[in-house]
Amino acid sequence: MRILHTSDWHLGRSFHRVSMLDAQAAYLDHLVGTVREHAVDVVVVAGDVYDRAVPPLPAVQLFDDALHRLAAAGVPTVMISGNHDSARRLGVGAGLIARAGIHLRTDPADCATPVVLRDTHGDVAFYGLPYLEPALVRDSLGASKTGHEAVLTAAMDRVRADLAARPDGSRSVVLAHAFVAGGEPSDSERDITVGGVAAVPAGVFDGVDYVALGHLHGCQTVTERVRYSGSPLAYSFSEHTHRKTMWLIDLGPGGDLVAERVDCPTPRPLARLRGRLGTLLEDPALDRHQESWVEATLTDPARPDEPMARLTERFPYTLSLVFDPERSPQDSLASYAQRLQGRDDQQVAEDFVAHVRGGSGPSEQERTVLRAAFDDVRVGDGVDEVSR
């Protein structure tokens, strides 16, 4: 069975205030073309179809058009909701849409109810694990404690129990939206940390033939059978080195697997430039970036006059301007952004406690309270967005 694995479309998202709708439409054209060109048997979409719970109408229209075209091609599609999607909104009409071969899995209660498709070698069961917010699904899944590893383990226990009751030789594919240990994040994913832990071990998914992951935006292989397709488009400059692709997976009769990357169309390359303004404006080696979307980091000791206007004369598609003056680490004028670089909310809060106490940081009990407060805010924001 030939499977096309994609995820993290983020329909409706912009890139530094530049609309990505045309690029997203071009990607979906490419997706449908790939399905036809490579004789794909099933498409799997591992979450974050939309960029927010209530997507703009043009994004909904793109999604609707893609579903109609996949259904018209006679190719089944299995998709799950991600942490950016409203599971309830995305899942509306799932029962009816399934009749057209579009299978939406947005309810955690259905994680062990697979979409079963057949090829000449027998059944392949596709299990959809939508994004599982631990605080919301722990009780319904019977997880031993709150945390991503606990709820995913509980969901996978149900999957393995269902799979064990199926005929010998049945193969299995799991779609999941999670941060799995070994994956490399970028700046454009929303934080899903709970209790100070974001990643879960890949071993949680043991016992199935292929795991199609979503959430991280770089295409990557965690293990031979556990892979991220990544987002089809770049949504932050941290992705400037990414090769945007989908996975074409051939799942053989005994569960043997062959994986191939299929490139996605790139609307415009990304470039991260760093140096003094004069150097960026004059260096002939930078000519190749004149058609790129540019993030420029200026290292001039003093802020130059009209830097954005001057940069856009040479690099018309400059979207982001960052100032990082050349100063020693001891310089008291080092920017607040520099001091916070690479530090998460928990670390910033702990540093603040140490600052106001004159050097004495929080106790372990206080760290636990801070972590719980950040978790509560993050979960509360997620619940509020989904309930809109």
Side-chain angles (χ1 to χ4, degrees):
M1 183 170 288
R2 176 160 287 182
I3 303 163
L4 186 63
H5 168 196
T6 177
S7 73
D8 294 274
W9 296 353
H10 288 279
L11 300 180
R13 187 165 186 158
S14 60
F15 182 74
H16 289 268
R17 298 178 301 281
V18 174
S19 172
M20 297 294 281
L21 280 170
D22 287 345
Q24 289 167 342
Y27 163 68
L28 292 173
D29 288 342
H30 172 69
L31 171 70
V32 175
T34 300
V35 166
R36 297 182 184 277
E37 178 185 351
H38 292 275
V40 168
D41 297 305
V42 57
V43 175
V44 298
V45 186
D48 281 353
V49 173
Y50 292 121
D51 189 56
R52 56 181 186 266
V54 185
L57 182 57
V60 177
Q61 291 172 328
L62 274 183
F63 178 63
D64 181 64
D65 178 65
L67 295 190
H68 276 83
R69 294 167 71 186
L70 289 169
V75 177
T77 300
V78 184
M79 61 177 60
I80 60 173
S81 50
N83 61 302
H84 280 251
D85 298 309
S86 166
R88 288 188 176 183
R89 289 177 183 271
L90 187 63
V92 167
L96 290 173
I97 296 172
R99 298 180 185 179
I102 307 295
H103 305 277
L104 302 174
R105 288 293 188 265
T106 63
D107 186 346
D110 294 331
C111 63
T113 304
V115 176
V116 181
L117 303 174
R118 291 186 61 84
D119 63 11
T120 55
H121 303 290
D123 291 348
V124 181
F126 289 81
Y127 296 91
L129 277 57
Y131 172 68
L132 302 174
E133 176 56 62
L136 300 180
V137 303
R138 171 187 173 179
D139 292 339
S140 62
L141 290 177
S144 58
K145 55 184 178 180
T146 298
H148 289 291
E149 182 175 356
V151 296
L152 277 168
T153 297
M156 283 302 302
D157 285 345
R158 294 186 177 196
V159 167
R160 283 184 282 262
D162 180 85
L163 187 59
R166 295 193 171 273
D168 291 343
S170 294
R171 289 157 292 162
S172 54
V173 175
V174 166
L175 289 71
H177 197 86
F179 186 174
V180 175
E184 183 66 32
S186 60
D187 292 345
S188 55
E189 299 113 8
R190 183 180 294 169
D191 181 27
I192 58 171
T193 302
V194 173
V197 178
V200 301
V204 164
F205 299 103
D206 285 352
V208 297
D209 294 305
Y210 183 67
V211 181
L213 293 175
H215 180 58
L216 299 185
H217 287 182
C219 182
Q220 48 201 299
T221 300
V222 179
T223 72
E224 187 63 21
R225 296 187 180 275
V226 180
R227 298 169 186 259
Y228 283 99
S229 68
S231 61
L233 298 166
Y235 292 115
S236 71
F237 277 102
S238 67
E239 301 167 56
H240 71 291
T241 60
H242 287 189
R243 174 188 165 198
K244 294 301 184 181
T245 62
M246 302 176 284
W247 282 114
L248 195 63
I249 304 294
D250 285 326
L251 187 61
D256 52 300
L257 186 149
V258 177
E260 175 189 350
R261 292 175 72 176
V262 178
D263 288 300
C264 297
T266 301
R268 199 175 290 281
L270 306 185
R272 273 184 153 173
L273 308 183
R274 181 182 179 88
R276 297 194 177 196
L277 179 60
T279 301
L280 299 187
L281 295 178
E282 297 168 7
D283 186 352
L286 301 181
D287 284 347
R288 67 186 189 277
H289 298 306
Q290 289 181 347
E291 297 301 314
S292 301
W293 278 322
V294 169
E295 177 187 75
T297 299
L298 301 184
T299 60
D300 303 70
R303 184 172 300 216
D305 292 334
E306 300 184 330
M308 192 62 157
R310 294 162 69 184
L311 278 168
T312 53
E313 287 183 8
R314 184 179 189 192
F315 307 106
Y317 302 101
T318 302
L319 301 182
S320 175
L321 185 59
V322 180
F323 293 95
D324 187 13
E326 297 167 346
R327 294 191 178 111
S328 69
Q330 294 76 30
D331 193 331
S332 62
L333 295 178
S335 74
Y336 182 65
Q338 285 177 294
R339 298 198 300 273
L340 297 186
Q341 188 173 14
R343 307 185 71 76
D344 60 26
D345 291 341
Q346 177 85 13
Q347 293 169 318
V348 172
E350 291 182 12
D351 288 349
F352 175 75
V353 173
H355 171 72
V356 297
R357 287 180 175 171
S360 175
S363 66
E364 190 56 41
Q365 183 179 7
E366 289 169 330
R367 288 190 179 94
T368 300
V369 171
L370 284 171
R371 186 176 299 118
F374 283 121
D375 287 349
D376 286 346
V377 170
R378 184 187 58 77
V379 172
D381 288 346
V383 171
D384 288 345
E385 183 173 3
V386 169
S387 64
R388 290 172 61 191

